[in-house]
């Protein structure tokens, strides 16, 4: 059993009083009503909870993909939502790898091209981008699928391409929404092990939304959302 990351101060990421309200057909939905949470460098944090409680919403705001209705997200003491959209996008590309719940791969491209894409956008030279993308695809067990168009891959294979794409630029923080959701147990364990290996090797900080209780169990801490607030289930 690994030593859990010691919760150090100050936190790497601080969520303070986060509120998110959606308006749908004139009805107001209060999804997050005041989330306070610290995330520490090098920890692995599981986010669990029933469907619709706001896990994806929380992850999107944490990853700066969506702005909160109120409250702050501070990364190393910087209030990230005070940045304009362009600076925020640059910040996000540098720091965060995101695995979406519905992976959002580019359908017309193959696995390798999908994984190379963030590297090319970050102006990594073509040959190096290809090398990095191949290496991470091998680690998720897709060595034999590099040139397959993603629409011809199984749901679980597509999910692993999405995990590889999130990790190709070696982000400081991995935010993953159900990364083992569509995976058979063996592939799920492979993704789980990869995340733990990168945590041990490179201190990758991970926040992982999961319904997979085995996955939640092996991470350092576990939280849930109740009435729009974060409750720590395990860990300090
Ligand atoms: N863009 C939106 N407009 C209106 N309502 C939204 C929007 N996004 C999310 N919601 C609502 O916010 C609530 C929380 O959604 P969210 O996707 O965060 O839940 P979740 O915990 O990730 O659920 P699941 O486990 O099913 O993925 C839901 O009731 C959803 O309908
Ligand atoms: Mg969700």
């Amino acid at each position: 059993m690994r030593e859990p990351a010691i919760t150090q101060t100050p936190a790497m990421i601080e969520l303070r009083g986060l509120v998110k309200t959606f308006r749908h057909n004139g009805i107001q939905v209060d999804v997050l009503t005041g989330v306070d949470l610290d995330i520490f460098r090098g920890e692995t944090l599981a986010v669990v909870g029933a469907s619709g409680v706001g896990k994806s919403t929380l992850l999107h705001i944490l990853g700066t993909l969506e702005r909160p209705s109120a409250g702050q997200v501070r990364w190393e003491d910087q209030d990230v939502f005070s940045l304009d959209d362009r600076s925020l996008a640059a910040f996000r590309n540098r720091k965060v790898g995101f695995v979406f719940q519905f992976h959002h791969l580019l359908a017309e491209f193959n696995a390798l091209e999908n994984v190379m894409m963030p590297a090319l956008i970050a102006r990594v030279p073509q040959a190096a981008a290809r090398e990095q993308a191949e290496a991470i695809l091998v680690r998720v067990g897709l060595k034999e699928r590099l040139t397959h168009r993603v629409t011809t891959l199984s749901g679980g294979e597509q999910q692993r391409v999405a995990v590889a794409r999130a990790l190709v630029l070696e982000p400081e923080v991995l935010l993953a929404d159900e990364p083992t959701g569509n995976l058979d147990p063996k592939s799920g364990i492979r993704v789980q092990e990869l995340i733990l290996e990168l945590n041990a090797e490179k201190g990758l900080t991970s926040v992982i939304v999961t319904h997979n209780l085995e996955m939640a169990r092996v991470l350092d801490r576990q939280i849930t959302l109740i009435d729009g607030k974060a409750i720590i289930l395990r860990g300090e």
Side-chain angles (χ1 to χ4, degrees):
M1 191 70 184
R2 273 166 353 111
E3 285 290 312
I6 306 293
T7 51
Q8 331 93 349
T9 46
M12 180 186 197
I13 310 169
E14 297 169 329
L15 310 186
R16 291 295 178 267
L18 270 196
V19 172
K20 185 69 182 183
T21 301
F22 291 110
R23 210 164 261 291
H24 190 69
N25 291 342
I27 298 168
Q28 179 171 326
V29 187
D30 299 313
V31 180
L32 306 178
T33 59
V35 170
D36 293 307
L37 180 67
D38 287 343
I39 295 164
F40 299 93
R41 185 178 285 284
E43 77 164 324
T44 55
L45 177 68
V47 182
V48 302
S51 182
V53 293
K55 302 179 301 293
S56 295
T57 303
L58 177 66
L59 210 65
H60 292 161
I61 295 173
L62 179 54
T64 76
L65 292 161
E66 229 175 289
R67 288 180 185 265
S69 309
Q72 281 195 342
V73 175
R74 304 183 68 82
W75 283 63
E76 285 154 342
D77 236 15
Q78 178 176 31
D79 174 4
V80 290
F81 290 113
S82 68
L83 298 171
D84 60 40
D85 285 345
R86 199 190 161 100
S87 311
L88 196 57
F91 170 88
R92 184 190 311 130
N93 293 344
R94 202 169 63 243
K95 298 271 191 182
V96 185
F98 213 102
V99 181
F100 293 93
Q101 186 165 11
F102 305 103
H103 44 68
H104 299 312
L105 297 172
L106 299 170
E108 41 314 359
F109 293 96
N110 69 31
L112 184 62
E113 289 160 345
N114 265 276
V115 177
M116 283 173 70
M117 203 66 76
L120 294 176
I121 290 169
R123 297 177 191 280
V124 175
Q126 176 100 8
R130 170 181 282 268
E131 201 171 300
Q132 285 163 232
E134 274 185 22
I136 193 77
L137 279 163
V138 169
R139 286 189 81 164
V140 295
L142 291 175
K143 191 175 171 207
E144 314 299 335
R145 294 285 182 277
L146 299 181
T147 58
H148 290 229
R149 214 177 136 141
V150 288
T151 46
T152 67
L153 299 178
S154 72
E157 287 167 344
Q158 291 182 23
Q159 189 73 326
R160 282 183 281 156
V161 174
V163 171
R165 181 183 58 179
L167 292 170
V168 71
L169 283 177
E170 301 195 348
E172 285 180 37
V173 179
L174 173 69
L175 301 177
D177 203 346
E178 297 280 3
T180 64
N182 298 314
L183 301 183
D184 61 278
K186 196 166 155 227
S187 304
I189 286 169
R190 195 195 280 266
V191 166
Q192 177 180 313
E193 282 176 351
L194 174 63
I195 292 169
L196 293 180
E197 279 165 25
L198 292 173
N199 175 254
E201 281 170 28
K202 305 188 191 246
L204 175 71
T205 305
S206 299
V207 179
I208 299 178
V209 173
T210 186
H211 284 118
N212 176 341
L213 295 181
E214 168 59 18
M215 175 95 180
R217 195 183 64 76
V218 298
L219 303 189
D220 296 325
R221 290 198 299 155
Q222 196 173 326
I223 66 160
T224 191
L225 291 171
I226 295 178
D227 295 335
K229 297 188 168 59
I231 309 289
I232 295 173
L233 294 175
R234 186 169 54 71
E236 284 173 33

